Amino acid sequence: MKTLTTDPQRFVNLPDYPFSENYVDVESMAMHYVDEGPRDARIVLMLHGEPSWSYLYRHMIPLFVAAGYRAIAPDLIGFGKSAKPTRISDYSYQRHMDWLGIFVRALGISDAILVCQDWGSLLGLRLAGEQPDRFGGIVVANGFLPTGDQPASRAFKTWRRFARFSPIFPIGRIIDVGTVTTLPAEIVAAYNAPFPSGRFKAGARAFPRLVPTRPDDPAAPANRAAWQALGEWTKPFATAFSDKDPITRGLATIFHQHVPGARHDQHTVIRGGGHFLQEECGPELADFTIRYSAANGLVP
């Protein structure tokens, strides 16, 4: 498998991203992650989605550390400072699960708090269903775990075609479109930083086509099994969806009805955020997670 590594100079002096680099070897590929806070504290594992990277969590990481938690935010393979396989065919749902599995085993993550959004939810919720001891609680923000048993929306089909066929795939602009406010040019540039050319974007282009949209999708059986496991999840489980995300609108209620640990009145709606609510409302999401965790015994 041929991989690319983004020139480190592209990450120099990014706004509000002063964190030290850490790496795990994942099938001979370097997987980067931010790791801040006391090493013996409870972990908050933050999983990004498509087409972002750990930069998305830069405003939340310091707040978790200040509250006493250990904040870990990896860059999925193909994103951020992590290695980037160059062919779209190098990526599959199962491979992403395998890579994430190697990562959590290498760090010995257990009884952590999972914060996940977008594809971070597709991976994180599947991992929670398959390896429940990894997490003591979950906060889902604008995410879901699709099984392919419901038809894809027209908007998603349009997005999937764009990711597959568009001659240009402007990462930073995509993030900007997914927020309510217009992002400053330097923030758009920071989201572009891992992707200096189209050769680096195979992982980002691959993700939309890996979402299960048919019952016979290769990932559907495993996702159904994980969804069934979440139907028996009694540990803390909260939703913190934003109020201005057209992509995941209405999905929080499905979690409330399906997950036993989610059947309480401690959920929240983050006001004023789009799909990438960590970018616009990161402190609010972090504050909710800290308060929710403390109220449910998930202290540092």
Side-chain angles (χ1 to χ4, degrees):
M1 185 185 301
K2 183 180 179 180
T3 64
L4 295 171
T5 301
T6 303
D7 183 348
Q9 288 301 309
R10 292 183 61 85
F11 300 105
V12 174
N13 296 326
L14 295 183
D16 302 320
Y17 193 79
F19 312 114
S20 299
E21 295 179 343
N22 305 273
Y23 290 91
V24 165
D25 182 88
V26 174
E27 295 184 348
S28 299
M29 295 182 292
M31 185 169 179
H32 169 261
Y33 64 103
V34 175
D35 190 347
E36 300 285 320
R39 291 301 180 266
D40 59 348
R42 187 187 298 274
I43 291 170
V44 179
L45 178 65
M46 291 159 275
L47 297 181
H48 72 81
E50 154 81 348
S52 60
W53 57 293
S54 58
Y55 189 75
L56 185 68
Y57 286 102
R58 70 194 182 282
H59 296 311
M60 298 175 61
I61 291 167
L63 298 181
F64 287 128
V65 173
Y69 292 94
R70 179 181 175 186
I72 295 178
D75 293 334
L76 299 174
I77 293 294
F79 297 83
K81 297 183 179 183
S82 293
K84 299 173 181 67
T86 59
R87 298 180 304 175
I88 291 177
S89 60
D90 291 333
Y91 298 88
S92 70
Y93 202 136
Q94 187 57 55
R95 273 186 168 171
H96 271 294
M97 287 302 306
D98 293 343
W99 295 331
L100 181 60
I102 293 170
F103 175 80
V104 297
R105 288 194 298 274
L107 271 64
I109 292 175
S110 65
D111 202 31
I113 300 166
L114 172 65
V115 178
C116 55
Q117 177 259 350
D118 193 87
W119 256 97
S121 300
L122 274 72
L123 299 173
L125 294 177
R126 167 100 160 253
L127 183 64
E130 295 177 347
Q131 302 181 41
D133 290 344
R134 297 285 179 193
F135 304 111
I138 297 174
V139 175
V140 182
N142 293 351
F144 200 59
L145 181 63
T147 63
D149 296 310
Q150 299 297 326
S153 68
R154 179 178 299 179
F156 178 77
K157 290 178 180 178
T158 300
W159 160 241
R160 186 172 56 188
R161 285 194 299 270
F162 176 79
R164 184 168 186 173
F165 297 115
S166 174
I168 61 170
F169 198 63
I171 302 295
R173 175 59 178 158
I174 292 168
I175 301 293
D176 189 28
V177 170
T179 58
V180 175
T181 56
T182 299
L183 300 182
E186 62 270 23
I187 303 303
V188 173
Y191 282 111
N192 282 328
F195 311 101
S197 73
R199 296 171 60 235
F200 291 75
K201 299 178 183 180
R205 284 191 181 266
F207 255 156
R209 72 180 67 183
L210 300 182
V211 176
T213 58
R214 306 183 319 273
D216 61 346
D217 186 280
N223 279 21
R224 288 190 197 102
W227 188 247
Q228 183 176 358
L230 289 173
E232 301 174 0
W233 181 278
T234 57
K235 289 180 281 189
F237 188 111
T239 59
F241 283 47
S242 64
D243 63 338
K244 299 185 183 301
D245 178 22
I247 299 173
T248 61
R249 183 178 293 128
L251 296 180
T253 302
I254 299 176
F255 286 120
H256 303 166
Q257 296 170 345
H258 181 73
V259 182
R263 293 171 185 163
H264 50 68
D265 59 357
Q266 292 180 295
H267 307 290
T268 193
V269 175
I270 305 292
R271 303 293 177 184
H275 183 63
F276 299 102
L277 75 167
Q278 304 97 312
E279 175 60 43
E280 299 175 287
C281 307
E284 292 87 342
L285 178 57
D287 179 68
F288 168 77
T289 302
I290 292 166
R291 290 186 289 104
Y292 172 80
S293 298
N296 287 276
L298 299 173
V299 295

